[in-house]
Amino acid sequence: MTTAKHLCLLGDATSPHVQRWAREMRQRGWRVSLVTARPAPVDGVDVRALRPVRRSLDWLLRVREARRHVANLSPDIVHAHYVTSYGYLAARCGQRPLVMTAWGSDLLVTPHRSPALRWLTGYTLRRADLITGDSASLVDAAQSYRPACPVEEIHWGVDLQRFQPTPWSQKPGLQLVSLRAWEPNYHIDTIVEAFALLRARLPADAPLRLHLLGGGSLEPALRAQVQRSGLQGCVLLHGRLDDAGMARVLGESRVSISVPGSDATSVAVLESMACGLPVVATRLQANAHWLDAQWLVEPRNAGALADQLQKLLTNDALAQATGERNAARIARDGDRAVQMDRMHALYQSLLNR
């Protein structure tokens, strides 16, 4: 009997993306463990907890713990998710082969805050045997540090068995949805502001509703904004939902919104497209790869966002046709199984070098 190869992930155990990655690799025959500063149970995964990280400096102080856990687990491959935190820990562990996956802000924002952070990012990346990113912008950013290893574009993909279009005629009312976290980069306050503008433009009895999923540290501020704007009856703050909950809300909605200040390929955008929704998003390179330019807006522009939402909500044929094109694009290019098969093959090639 062949012993399963052991993949040790370093990442946020509470993240649905990390959980999905672990699940996909277990389905492909890997034994999976996870070293994390934010522990959560993950089915079939040996989770090892670090002390909590409350400030950036704490990552430098968790090296000894991470090194001890990885040495004790003795995996065949180490794979760190998020370069400027878990990637740094993995680089200091000395275990090879080492894979790093950039998520977005770790290469597009954080290194530009200071020369020291840029140096540390380069130090980390140059210790990898393989780097992946989910957009061309992330691949370019990683390559700018001149790592001595391949950089591959692997996106998270969509579970096409779970995220599927709902017949347009079955969608109740005029419902909008945002799947993005309630954190500063994602500009949820701009979405609420645009929604208030939209409600003022449409008839008072229009069945308008905004679903906010994701959860995050800005919840008190968002609740206060909703209250202040008189939107309590039509803005629903769901917080973080599982895949089934997200698919249900997407199935009821007519438009999805994603307007962060910086981003790589967004799973929220891909899942919305897979469900046959038009998506209004920020004018970023990663979004331009997936979405028609007419549905891209500048960050922090509530008026422009409201304009685009109004076009879609007042022209049902346009909204439906845009959603159908999005669903077809994901069916062709966005299947998670295909992306995870590619990643599995890359793991195998590292072991066979």
Side-chain angles (χ1 to χ4, degrees):
M1 180 177 176
T2 303
T3 303
K5 293 297 184 180
H6 181 183
L7 169 66
C8 177
L9 301 174
L10 279 77
D12 179 353
T14 70
S15 165
H17 301 321
V18 172
Q19 293 175 10
R20 289 165 179 164
W21 198 286
R23 183 167 60 246
E24 291 287 342
M25 292 309 152
R26 287 192 65 240
Q27 291 172 359
R28 286 161 177 76
W30 290 86
R31 171 190 166 201
V32 180
S33 57
L34 174 59
V35 177
T36 182
R38 297 186 68 186
V42 183
D43 287 347
V45 175
D46 182 0
V47 177
R48 303 291 180 94
L50 305 172
R51 284 176 295 151
V53 170
R54 296 186 174 89
R55 53 183 183 155
S56 298
L57 181 62
D58 287 344
W59 293 110
L60 305 180
L61 306 177
R62 299 295 179 266
V63 170
R64 184 176 297 180
E65 294 172 49
R67 187 180 288 156
R68 184 174 67 248
H69 282 308
V70 171
N72 178 261
L73 290 164
S74 189
D76 296 289
I77 291 182
V78 173
H79 186 164
H81 283 267
Y82 210 87
V83 172
T84 49
S85 54
Y86 290 103
Y88 170 75
L89 294 182
R92 293 293 304 277
C93 285
Q95 179 81 28
R96 310 290 288 271
L98 171 58
V99 182
M100 294 185 191
T101 289
W103 280 38
S105 295
D106 49 349
L107 291 191
L108 302 179
V109 177
T110 301
H112 302 291
R113 290 176 179 161
S114 72
L117 285 170
R118 182 164 178 80
W119 179 88
L120 197 62
T121 302
Y123 165 88
T124 300
L125 290 173
R126 285 189 287 271
R127 275 147 186 80
D129 296 292
L130 172 68
I131 299 166
T132 77
D134 65 5
S135 69
S137 59
L138 276 183
V139 169
D140 291 344
Q143 289 176 332
S144 74
Y145 290 91
R146 303 186 185 279
C149 68
V151 182
E152 296 282 348
E153 184 174 342
I154 303 282
H155 65 75
W156 300 90
V158 179
D159 181 352
L160 296 181
Q161 300 304 308
R162 185 180 296 278
F163 293 94
Q164 300 177 343
T166 298
W168 201 258
S169 61
Q170 295 180 16
K171 294 179 179 290
L174 302 176
Q175 305 201 49
L176 309 171
V177 62
S178 164
L179 306 180
R180 308 315 299 268
W182 304 344
E183 302 295 344
N185 180 57
Y186 298 104
H187 301 168
I188 307 303
D189 57 336
T190 300
I191 296 175
V192 175
E193 183 182 351
F195 183 78
L197 294 172
L198 183 65
R199 196 176 84 152
R201 297 175 186 178
L202 296 181
D205 60 351
L208 197 59
R209 181 167 290 185
L210 171 63
H211 299 275
L212 298 179
L213 282 59
S217 64
L218 296 181
E219 179 174 355
L222 288 171
R223 290 194 180 278
Q225 182 186 6
V226 169
Q227 181 88 15
R228 191 168 59 248
S229 304
L231 300 172
Q232 305 93 307
C234 50
V235 176
L236 302 179
L237 288 87
H238 296 271
R240 180 174 285 183
L241 299 182
D242 61 14
D243 282 1
M246 286 191 290
R248 176 184 57 78
V249 177
L250 286 166
E252 296 174 354
S253 299
R254 291 176 181 267
V255 183
S256 181
I257 309 166
S258 177
V259 289
S262 68
D263 214 4
T265 297
S266 163
V267 177
V269 168
L270 301 189
E271 288 172 344
S272 299
M273 294 172 68
C275 288
L277 271 65
V279 180
V280 180
T282 328
R283 197 179 307 281
L284 299 171
Q285 181 181 355
N287 289 334
H289 177 73
W290 293 96
L291 300 169
D292 191 290
Q294 70 173 310
W295 304 120
L296 303 180
V297 298
E298 297 303 322
R300 287 290 186 193
N301 191 331
L305 177 56
D307 290 344
Q308 298 301 76
L309 297 175
Q310 186 174 0
K311 285 180 189 176
L312 290 165
L313 290 182
T314 57
N315 188 334
D316 210 42
L318 173 65
Q320 183 175 357
T322 303
E324 288 173 351
R325 286 196 297 273
N326 284 347
R329 174 70 190 280
I330 295 300
R332 185 176 73 245
D333 301 326
D335 190 344
R336 179 180 300 157
V338 173
Q339 296 297 310
M340 293 299 101
D341 284 346
R342 284 186 61 207
M343 196 66 226
H344 172 71
L346 288 168
Y347 285 152
Q348 297 286 2
S349 68
L350 288 173
L351 292 179
N352 293 333
R353 288 193 310 182

